[in-house]
């Protein structure tokens, strides 16, 4: 239960890595280095990290179009991720997937997903595998407030319940689905009650607070591992950047993001909490920041010069055999 | 007439028809934008801005932003269509059809037939399609052959701003369900488009240019590529007819066959996956109905049988271009010379 020093340092490093990765991708996209659609996770780091810190390597996660954070939290290689986002041959998916389809099955990361609501059924399937193979594994479905209104998500809640599947449903409520407010789109406006309507115990937590998310995830995953069946967590926070890179966010009142960033940033909050309590000192956290910056710098430098995929690969890997 | 973008052409058709007919309503995700938010309303106007401004003109009583629930709102558009409205729903990207497939294929497409002709289902589903913007495998497909497969659905694929406004107007006025494909790489294309409303009837192919040697049939974005190839080939004395069928269902088979009978050669250009495609469909039409006129094998210019890749280098190799079309034409013209 207690988070030891190493646990705290590891969690901080992961969250910082996500933040640094995303801010760097934001800049690279703006300068034209990155093609396609890119959705950034900055501001939401607690969800991926606090949940994945409670997972074992054999556990599986499904992600969303906003998948960089989940990938990093599930231990995907950041250089290979960056190369994928640049569309390079030795990217995590050999340049075929890009930001929206980053995956590393060897790490239990079943893919970012271009289809809103695409992940929850897959997580149920991963949980079914764990059940049949009797390997003690669990699955986590990360999905957004928008995805919480998709039939696939709601069907998955029921499917997981009737079979008591070992699935944790993690609702990442960042306030918006594209330009649409989650207060409006989630009818009844009470996600935990909605989950409870499916017979699934749920809890709402403040996503700015790593420790609150960690505790909720730990408790839920312990119950799931003990055979309680599915659980649900509703995490509230905000996204710092546009829906995708290039979104001017005029649907948000001026200053909304800045205000949240200056008063409620999860990394600032984590630093204050751990240093004031005397568990960590500022110097060691600063040192992590420097290391992480160098890591991301290096990843970008490598991605920029990495070769593109060979044209012959266009038609490879469509089938296992054909 | 004035110069308009593809985006504006669509916007105008929607606006004109909403003015003309109070039963025309819009549904879709972020088609206005800002729903329930505290900032600007009409913040998006759809993902590529085609419905921008319509909220301010027609209000939330006719412009319905929806939750991300395609089964519900596409199905609702069908239900509204059989009960007195003329909904224009936006399925943001056609790739998402899988989420709401039943409502389209088993419900909307079949009401009229199953109910013995008593139903009228005047619904339009506008949807983004096509590769070229590095949007990867789940946001780049064409998929119009899938919809063409289903009896009961009409399918339109505009190839220019002019071809967007007229057929969309027709689609809205049509009493059958119409799937209206908008190629995302064409939104900033511009052309002269009439300011006043006009409808272009379905099943009337457009002859883009006429030449005696080869018939090129192309759809959507490929029409422009076919014309480019035809212009280049003309410099070498190879004259092409370029036909834009405009709709795949109904399909103007007469115009295509008449041209094939006169040129004796057919190249079909299709950005969709090659198997069970319009390329295959039109090739089989010519083989069946104009076999005796053919002087050379029919050629299909399509992407390979694989999903749309992300990396720019791979995606560029995936999409058929003017060079591929030119090569295909030269190959069958040469076959004649060799014979
Ligand atoms: C089935 C489907 N419908 C619509 C979209 C377009 N789309 C992509 S992300 C998104 C918003 C998702 O909102 P949310 O689930 O809250 O996730 P967030 O972007 O806030 O992380 C939409 C509508 C899609 N990709 N897939
Ligand atoms: Mg959201």
């Amino acid at each position: 239960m207690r988070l030891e020093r190493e646990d705290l340092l590891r969690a901080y490093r992961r969250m910082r890595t996500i933040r640094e990765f995303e801010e760097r991708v934001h800049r690279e996209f703006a300068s034209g280095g990155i093609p396609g659609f890119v959705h950034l996770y900055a501001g939401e780091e607690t969800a991926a990290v606090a949940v994945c810190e409670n997972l074992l390597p054999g556990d599986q996660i499904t992600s969303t179009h906003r998948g960089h954070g989940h990938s990093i939290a599930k231990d995907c290689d950041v250089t290979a991720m960056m190369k994928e986002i640049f569309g390079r041959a030795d990217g995590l998916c050999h340049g075929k997937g890009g930001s929206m389809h980053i995956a590393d099955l060897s790490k239990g990361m079943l893919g970012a997903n271009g289809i809103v609501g695409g992940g929850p059924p897959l997580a149920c399937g991963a949980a079914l595998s764990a059940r049949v193979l009797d390997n003690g594994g669990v699955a986590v479905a990360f999905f957004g407030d928008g995805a919480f209104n998709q039939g696939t998500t709601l069907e998955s809640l029921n499917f997981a319940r009737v079979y008591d599947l070992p699935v944790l449903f993690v609702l990442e409520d960042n306030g918006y689905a594209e330009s649409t407010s989650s207060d409006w789109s989630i009818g009844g406006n009470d996600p935990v009650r909605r989950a409870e309507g499916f017979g699934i115990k749920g809890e709402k937590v403040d996503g700015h607070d790593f420790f609150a998310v960690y505790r909720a995830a730990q408790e839920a995953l312990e119950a799931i591992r003990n055979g309680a069946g599915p659980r649900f967590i509703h995490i509230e926070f905000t996204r710092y950047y546009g829906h995708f890179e290039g979104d001017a966010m005029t649907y948000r009142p001026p200053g909304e993001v800045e205000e949240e960033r200056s008063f409620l940033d999860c990394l600032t909050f984590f630093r204050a909490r751990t240093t004031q309590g005397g568990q960590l000192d500022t110097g060691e956290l600063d040192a992590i920041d420097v290391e992480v910056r160098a890591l991301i710098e290096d990843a970008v430098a490598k991605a920029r010069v990495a070769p593109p995929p060979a044209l012959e690969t266009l038609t490879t890997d469509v089938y296992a055999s054909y | 007439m004035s110069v308009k973008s593809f985006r504006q052409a669509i916007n105008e058709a929607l606006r004109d028809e909403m003015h003309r007919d109070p039963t025309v309503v819009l549904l879709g995700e972020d088609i206005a934008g800002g729903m329930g938010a505290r900032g600007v309303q009409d913040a998006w106007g759809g993902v590529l801005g085609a419905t921008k401004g319509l909220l301010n003109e027609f209000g939330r009583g006719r412009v319905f932003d929806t939750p991300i629930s395609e089964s519900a709102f596409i199905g609702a558009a069908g239900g509204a269509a059989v009960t007195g409205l003329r909904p224009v729903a936006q399925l943001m990207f056609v790739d998402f059809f899988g989420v709401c497939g039943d409502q389209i294929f088993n419900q909307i497409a079949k009401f009229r037939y199953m109910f013995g002709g008593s139903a009228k289902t005047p619904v339009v589903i506008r949807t983004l399609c096509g590769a070229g913007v590095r949007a990867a495998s789940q946001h780049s497909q064409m998929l119009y052959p899938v919809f063409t497969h289903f009896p009961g659905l009409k399918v339109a694929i505009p190839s220019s701003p002019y071809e967007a406004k007229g057929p969309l107007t027709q689609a809205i006025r049509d009493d059958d369900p119409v799937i209206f494909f908008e190629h995302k790489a064409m939104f900033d294309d511009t052309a002269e488009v009439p300011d006043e409303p006009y409808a272009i009837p379905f099943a009337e192919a457009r002859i883009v240019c006429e030449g005696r040697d080869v018939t090129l049939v192309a759809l959507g974005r490929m029409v422009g590529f076919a014309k480019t190839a035809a212009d280049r080939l003309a410099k070498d004395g190879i004259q092409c007819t370029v036909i834009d069928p405009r709709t795949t269902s109904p399909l103007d088979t007469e115009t295509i066959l008449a041209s094939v009978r006169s040129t004796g050669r057919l190249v079909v250009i299709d950005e969709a996956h090659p198997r069970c495609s319009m390329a295959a469909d039109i090739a089989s039409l010519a083989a069946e109905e104009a076999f005796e006129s053919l002087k050379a094998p029919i050629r299909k210019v399509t992407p390979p049988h694989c999903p749309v890749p992300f990396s720019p280098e791979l995606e560029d190799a995936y999409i058929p271009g003017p060079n591929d079309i030119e090569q295909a034409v030269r190959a069958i013209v040469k076959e004649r010379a060799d014979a």
Side-chain angles (χ1 to χ4, degrees), chain B residues 14-39:
Chain B
L14 293 169
R15 170 180 287 121
D16 290 346
E17 292 311 293
M18 289 180 82
H19 274 300
R20 205 181 56 81
D21 180 349
T23 67
V24 175
V25 299
L26 309 182
L27 294 103
E29 292 153 11
D30 302 277
I31 52 166
M35 193 73 195
R38 291 182 298 126

PDB file of all heavy atoms in Angstrom, chain B residues 14-39:
ATOM      1  N   LEU B  14     -26.302  23.049 -47.916  1.00  0.00           N
ATOM      2  CA  LEU B  14     -27.023  22.811 -46.665  1.00  0.00           C
ATOM      3  C   LEU B  14     -27.855  24.041 -46.289  1.00  0.00           C
ATOM      4  O   LEU B  14     -29.041  23.922 -45.954  1.00  0.00           O
ATOM      5  CB  LEU B  14     -26.033  22.479 -45.541  1.00  0.00           C
ATOM      6  CG  LEU B  14     -25.273  21.153 -45.687  1.00  0.00           C
ATOM      7  CD1 LEU B  14     -24.144  21.076 -44.667  1.00  0.00           C
ATOM      8  CD2 LEU B  14     -26.225  19.966 -45.519  1.00  0.00           C
ATOM      9  N   ARG B  15     -27.232  25.200 -46.379  1.00  0.00           N
ATOM     10  CA  ARG B  15     -27.931  26.429 -45.982  1.00  0.00           C
ATOM     11  C   ARG B  15     -29.154  26.647 -46.870  1.00  0.00           C
ATOM     12  O   ARG B  15     -30.258  26.906 -46.372  1.00  0.00           O
ATOM     13  CB  ARG B  15     -26.980  27.625 -46.075  1.00  0.00           C
ATOM     14  CG  ARG B  15     -27.705  28.959 -45.901  1.00  0.00           C
ATOM     15  CD  ARG B  15     -26.778  30.156 -45.980  1.00  0.00           C
ATOM     16  NE  ARG B  15     -25.968  30.252 -44.785  1.00  0.00           N
ATOM     17  CZ  ARG B  15     -24.641  30.220 -44.762  1.00  0.00           C
ATOM     18  NH1 ARG B  15     -23.961  30.092 -45.892  1.00  0.00           N
ATOM     19  NH2 ARG B  15     -23.992  30.319 -43.628  1.00  0.00           N
ATOM     20  N   ASP B  16     -28.965  26.531 -48.183  1.00  0.00           N
ATOM     21  CA  ASP B  16     -30.079  26.774 -49.110  1.00  0.00           C
ATOM     22  C   ASP B  16     -31.237  25.828 -48.828  1.00  0.00           C
ATOM     23  O   ASP B  16     -32.398  26.243 -48.787  1.00  0.00           O
ATOM     24  CB  ASP B  16     -29.618  26.562 -50.561  1.00  0.00           C
ATOM     25  CG  ASP B  16     -28.654  27.658 -51.017  1.00  0.00           C
ATOM     26  OD1 ASP B  16     -28.554  28.692 -50.327  1.00  0.00           O
ATOM     27  OD2 ASP B  16     -27.993  27.452 -52.058  1.00  0.00           O
ATOM     28  N   GLU B  17     -30.910  24.568 -48.638  1.00  0.00           N
ATOM     29  CA  GLU B  17     -31.984  23.594 -48.428  1.00  0.00           C
ATOM     30  C   GLU B  17     -32.640  23.773 -47.067  1.00  0.00           C
ATOM     31  O   GLU B  17     -33.839  23.533 -46.910  1.00  0.00           O
ATOM     32  CB  GLU B  17     -31.466  22.161 -48.619  1.00  0.00           C
ATOM     33  CG  GLU B  17     -31.093  21.834 -50.059  1.00  0.00           C
ATOM     34  CD  GLU B  17     -32.177  22.231 -51.063  1.00  0.00           C
ATOM     35  OE1 GLU B  17     -33.258  21.619 -51.034  1.00  0.00           O
ATOM     36  OE2 GLU B  17     -31.934  23.164 -51.863  1.00  0.00           O
ATOM     37  N   MET B  18     -31.888  24.204 -46.082  1.00  0.00           N
ATOM     38  CA  MET B  18     -32.496  24.468 -44.769  1.00  0.00           C
ATOM     39  C   MET B  18     -33.437  25.664 -44.840  1.00  0.00           C
ATOM     40  O   MET B  18     -34.465  25.701 -44.163  1.00  0.00           O
ATOM     41  CB  MET B  18     -31.414  24.687 -43.710  1.00  0.00           C
ATOM     42  CG  MET B  18     -30.679  23.401 -43.364  1.00  0.00           C
ATOM     43  SD  MET B  18     -29.408  23.630 -42.112  1.00  0.00           S
ATOM     44  CE  MET B  18     -30.395  23.578 -40.608  1.00  0.00           C
ATOM     45  N   HIS B  19     -33.084  26.637 -45.690  1.00  0.00           N
ATOM     46  CA  HIS B  19     -33.983  27.775 -45.885  1.00  0.00           C
ATOM     47  C   HIS B  19     -35.242  27.349 -46.627  1.00  0.00           C
ATOM     48  O   HIS B  19     -36.341  27.762 -46.290  1.00  0.00           O
ATOM     49  CB  HIS B  19     -33.279  28.884 -46.682  1.00  0.00           C
ATOM     50  CG  HIS B  19     -32.491  29.811 -45.805  1.00  0.00           C
ATOM     51  ND1 HIS B  19     -33.063  30.549 -44.801  1.00  0.00           N
ATOM     52  CD2 HIS B  19     -31.167  30.100 -45.775  1.00  0.00           C
ATOM     53  CE1 HIS B  19     -32.134  31.261 -44.179  1.00  0.00           C
ATOM     54  NE2 HIS B  19     -30.961  31.000 -44.753  1.00  0.00           N
ATOM     55  N   ARG B  20     -35.040  26.509 -47.629  1.00  0.00           N
ATOM     56  CA  ARG B  20     -36.146  26.129 -48.506  1.00  0.00           C
ATOM     57  C   ARG B  20     -37.145  25.218 -47.794  1.00  0.00           C
ATOM     58  O   ARG B  20     -38.346  25.285 -48.025  1.00  0.00           O
ATOM     59  CB  ARG B  20     -35.571  25.396 -49.725  1.00  0.00           C
ATOM     60  CG  ARG B  20     -36.417  25.437 -50.984  1.00  0.00           C
ATOM     61  CD  ARG B  20     -35.736  24.647 -52.103  1.00  0.00           C
ATOM     62  NE  ARG B  20     -35.454  23.279 -51.707  1.00  0.00           N
ATOM     63  CZ  ARG B  20     -36.347  22.298 -51.729  1.00  0.00           C
ATOM     64  NH1 ARG B  20     -37.574  22.516 -52.124  1.00  0.00           N
ATOM     65  NH2 ARG B  20     -36.018  21.082 -51.330  1.00  0.00           N
ATOM     66  N   ASP B  21     -36.598  24.341 -46.933  1.00  0.00           N
ATOM     67  CA  ASP B  21     -37.430  23.279 -46.363  1.00  0.00           C
ATOM     68  C   ASP B  21     -37.196  23.191 -44.850  1.00  0.00           C
ATOM     69  O   ASP B  21     -36.136  22.773 -44.401  1.00  0.00           O
ATOM     70  CB  ASP B  21     -37.041  21.958 -47.048  1.00  0.00           C
ATOM     71  CG  ASP B  21     -37.854  20.776 -46.539  1.00  0.00           C
ATOM     72  OD1 ASP B  21     -38.568  20.926 -45.523  1.00  0.00           O
ATOM     73  OD2 ASP B  21     -37.759  19.698 -47.154  1.00  0.00           O
ATOM     74  N   PRO B  22     -38.201  23.579 -44.074  1.00  0.00           N
ATOM     75  CA  PRO B  22     -38.025  23.600 -42.612  1.00  0.00           C
ATOM     76  C   PRO B  22     -37.863  22.215 -41.983  1.00  0.00           C
ATOM     77  O   PRO B  22     -37.529  22.116 -40.804  1.00  0.00           O
ATOM     78  CB  PRO B  22     -39.303  24.283 -42.109  1.00  0.00           C
ATOM     79  CG  PRO B  22     -40.290  24.125 -43.214  1.00  0.00           C
ATOM     80  CD  PRO B  22     -39.515  24.064 -44.495  1.00  0.00           C
ATOM     81  N   THR B  23     -38.101  21.163 -42.779  1.00  0.00           N
ATOM     82  CA  THR B  23     -37.930  19.823 -42.202  1.00  0.00           C
ATOM     83  C   THR B  23     -36.488  19.325 -42.315  1.00  0.00           C
ATOM     84  O   THR B  23     -36.160  18.247 -41.818  1.00  0.00           O
ATOM     85  CB  THR B  23     -38.875  18.789 -42.858  1.00  0.00           C
ATOM     86  OG1 THR B  23     -38.480  18.594 -44.219  1.00  0.00           O
ATOM     87  CG2 THR B  23     -40.323  19.236 -42.796  1.00  0.00           C
ATOM     88  N   VAL B  24     -35.632  20.103 -42.975  1.00  0.00           N
ATOM     89  CA  VAL B  24     -34.224  19.703 -43.068  1.00  0.00           C
ATOM     90  C   VAL B  24     -33.534  20.048 -41.749  1.00  0.00           C
ATOM     91  O   VAL B  24     -33.551  21.204 -41.310  1.00  0.00           O
ATOM     92  CB  VAL B  24     -33.507  20.398 -44.251  1.00  0.00           C
ATOM     93  CG1 VAL B  24     -32.022  20.057 -44.252  1.00  0.00           C
ATOM     94  CG2 VAL B  24     -34.149  20.010 -45.576  1.00  0.00           C
ATOM     95  N   VAL B  25     -32.982  19.038 -41.102  1.00  0.00           N
ATOM     96  CA  VAL B  25     -32.261  19.250 -39.838  1.00  0.00           C
ATOM     97  C   VAL B  25     -30.886  18.583 -39.955  1.00  0.00           C
ATOM     98  O   VAL B  25     -30.698  17.678 -40.766  1.00  0.00           O
ATOM     99  CB  VAL B  25     -33.009  18.654 -38.622  1.00  0.00           C
ATOM    100  CG1 VAL B  25     -34.378  19.313 -38.452  1.00  0.00           C
ATOM    101  CG2 VAL B  25     -33.157  17.133 -38.750  1.00  0.00           C
ATOM    102  N   LEU B  26     -29.956  19.050 -39.155  1.00  0.00           N
ATOM    103  CA  LEU B  26     -28.608  18.482 -39.172  1.00  0.00           C
ATOM    104  C   LEU B  26     -28.322  17.777 -37.850  1.00  0.00           C
ATOM    105  O   LEU B  26     -28.697  18.275 -36.784  1.00  0.00           O
ATOM    106  CB  LEU B  26     -27.554  19.575 -39.372  1.00  0.00           C
ATOM    107  CG  LEU B  26     -27.746  20.552 -40.534  1.00  0.00           C
ATOM    108  CD1 LEU B  26     -26.565  21.536 -40.600  1.00  0.00           C
ATOM    109  CD2 LEU B  26     -27.879  19.809 -41.848  1.00  0.00           C
ATOM    110  N   LEU B  27     -27.665  16.634 -37.951  1.00  0.00           N
ATOM    111  CA  LEU B  27     -27.212  15.934 -36.740  1.00  0.00           C
ATOM    112  C   LEU B  27     -25.762  15.507 -36.924  1.00  0.00           C
ATOM    113  O   LEU B  27     -25.375  15.094 -38.016  1.00  0.00           O
ATOM    114  CB  LEU B  27     -28.010  14.654 -36.496  1.00  0.00           C
ATOM    115  CG  LEU B  27     -29.484  14.717 -36.157  1.00  0.00           C
ATOM    116  CD1 LEU B  27     -30.302  14.342 -37.384  1.00  0.00           C
ATOM    117  CD2 LEU B  27     -29.807  13.767 -35.021  1.00  0.00           C
ATOM    118  N   GLY B  28     -24.997  15.555 -35.833  1.00  0.00           N
ATOM    119  CA  GLY B  28     -23.638  15.034 -35.919  1.00  0.00           C
ATOM    120  C   GLY B  28     -22.771  15.532 -34.776  1.00  0.00           C
ATOM    121  O   GLY B  28     -23.151  16.457 -34.048  1.00  0.00           O
ATOM    122  N   GLU B  29     -21.617  14.921 -34.673  1.00  0.00           N
ATOM    123  CA  GLU B  29     -20.696  15.276 -33.590  1.00  0.00           C
ATOM    124  C   GLU B  29     -19.983  16.584 -33.927  1.00  0.00           C
ATOM    125  O   GLU B  29     -19.359  16.697 -34.980  1.00  0.00           O
ATOM    126  CB  GLU B  29     -19.672  14.148 -33.404  1.00  0.00           C
ATOM    127  CG  GLU B  29     -20.321  12.891 -32.860  1.00  0.00           C
ATOM    128  CD  GLU B  29     -19.574  11.612 -33.244  1.00  0.00           C
ATOM    129  OE1 GLU B  29     -18.444  11.703 -33.751  1.00  0.00           O
ATOM    130  OE2 GLU B  29     -20.145  10.525 -33.043  1.00  0.00           O
ATOM    131  N   ASP B  30     -20.126  17.571 -33.058  1.00  0.00           N
ATOM    132  CA  ASP B  30     -19.438  18.857 -33.211  1.00  0.00           C
ATOM    133  C   ASP B  30     -19.760  19.554 -34.533  1.00  0.00           C
ATOM    134  O   ASP B  30     -18.952  20.309 -35.039  1.00  0.00           O
ATOM    135  CB  ASP B  30     -17.917  18.673 -33.044  1.00  0.00           C
ATOM    136  CG  ASP B  30     -17.581  18.060 -31.685  1.00  0.00           C
ATOM    137  OD1 ASP B  30     -17.510  18.812 -30.701  1.00  0.00           O
ATOM    138  OD2 ASP B  30     -17.438  16.819 -31.614  1.00  0.00           O
ATOM    139  N   ILE B  31     -20.950  19.296 -35.101  1.00  0.00           N
ATOM    140  CA  ILE B  31     -21.289  19.955 -36.363  1.00  0.00           C
ATOM    141  C   ILE B  31     -21.497  21.449 -36.126  1.00  0.00           C
ATOM    142  O   ILE B  31     -21.335  22.249 -37.033  1.00  0.00           O
ATOM    143  CB  ILE B  31     -22.506  19.350 -37.082  1.00  0.00           C
ATOM    144  CG1 ILE B  31     -23.708  19.257 -36.151  1.00  0.00           C
ATOM    145  CG2 ILE B  31     -22.165  18.000 -37.669  1.00  0.00           C
ATOM    146  CD1 ILE B  31     -24.994  18.996 -36.910  1.00  0.00           C
ATOM    147  N   ALA B  32     -21.881  21.815 -34.908  1.00  0.00           N
ATOM    148  CA  ALA B  32     -21.785  23.223 -34.497  1.00  0.00           C
ATOM    149  C   ALA B  32     -20.550  23.310 -33.603  1.00  0.00           C
ATOM    150  O   ALA B  32     -19.565  23.953 -33.914  1.00  0.00           O
ATOM    151  CB  ALA B  32     -23.034  23.668 -33.756  1.00  0.00           C
ATOM    152  N   GLY B  33     -20.609  22.600 -32.506  1.00  0.00           N
ATOM    153  CA  GLY B  33     -19.474  22.599 -31.580  1.00  0.00           C
ATOM    154  C   GLY B  33     -19.753  23.483 -30.383  1.00  0.00           C
ATOM    155  O   GLY B  33     -20.602  24.370 -30.419  1.00  0.00           O
ATOM    156  N   GLY B  34     -19.039  23.203 -29.297  1.00  0.00           N
ATOM    157  CA  GLY B  34     -19.192  24.017 -28.098  1.00  0.00           C
ATOM    158  C   GLY B  34     -20.421  23.658 -27.279  1.00  0.00           C
ATOM    159  O   GLY B  34     -20.807  24.397 -26.370  1.00  0.00           O
ATOM    160  N   MET B  35     -21.058  22.518 -27.584  1.00  0.00           N
ATOM    161  CA  MET B  35     -22.277  22.138 -26.869  1.00  0.00           C
ATOM    162  C   MET B  35     -21.985  21.962 -25.376  1.00  0.00           C
ATOM    163  O   MET B  35     -21.108  21.189 -24.991  1.00  0.00           O
ATOM    164  CB  MET B  35     -22.800  20.824 -27.461  1.00  0.00           C
ATOM    165  CG  MET B  35     -24.192  20.487 -27.044  1.00  0.00           C
ATOM    166  SD  MET B  35     -25.375  21.572 -27.876  1.00  0.00           S
ATOM    167  CE  MET B  35     -26.820  21.272 -26.886  1.00  0.00           C
ATOM    168  N   GLY B  36     -22.716  22.706 -24.558  1.00  0.00           N
ATOM    169  CA  GLY B  36     -22.544  22.586 -23.111  1.00  0.00           C
ATOM    170  C   GLY B  36     -21.282  23.258 -22.590  1.00  0.00           C
ATOM    171  O   GLY B  36     -21.032  23.260 -21.394  1.00  0.00           O
ATOM    172  N   ALA B  37     -20.473  23.823 -23.480  1.00  0.00           N
ATOM    173  CA  ALA B  37     -19.225  24.458 -23.042  1.00  0.00           C
ATOM    174  C   ALA B  37     -19.460  25.953 -22.795  1.00  0.00           C
ATOM    175  O   ALA B  37     -20.481  26.498 -23.205  1.00  0.00           O
ATOM    176  CB  ALA B  37     -18.143  24.251 -24.094  1.00  0.00           C
ATOM    177  N   ARG B  38     -18.498  26.593 -22.131  1.00  0.00           N
ATOM    178  CA  ARG B  38     -18.697  27.983 -21.740  1.00  0.00           C
ATOM    179  C   ARG B  38     -18.040  28.987 -22.696  1.00  0.00           C
ATOM    180  O   ARG B  38     -18.067  30.179 -22.465  1.00  0.00           O
ATOM    181  CB  ARG B  38     -18.200  28.199 -20.303  1.00  0.00           C
ATOM    182  CG  ARG B  38     -19.095  27.487 -19.265  1.00  0.00           C
ATOM    183  CD  ARG B  38     -18.622  27.739 -17.844  1.00  0.00           C
ATOM    184  NE  ARG B  38     -17.276  27.213 -17.620  1.00  0.00           N
ATOM    185  CZ  ARG B  38     -16.259  27.918 -17.147  1.00  0.00           C
ATOM    186  NH1 ARG B  38     -16.411  29.192 -16.836  1.00  0.00           N
ATOM    187  NH2 ARG B  38     -15.079  27.359 -16.973  1.00  0.00           N
ATOM    188  N   GLY B  39     -17.422  28.463 -23.749  1.00  0.00           N
ATOM    189  CA  GLY B  39     -16.796  29.367 -24.720  1.00  0.00           C
ATOM    190  C   GLY B  39     -17.703  29.615 -25.917  1.00  0.00           C
ATOM    191  O   GLY B  39     -18.923  29.609 -25.795  1.00  0.00           O
TER     192      GLY B  39
END
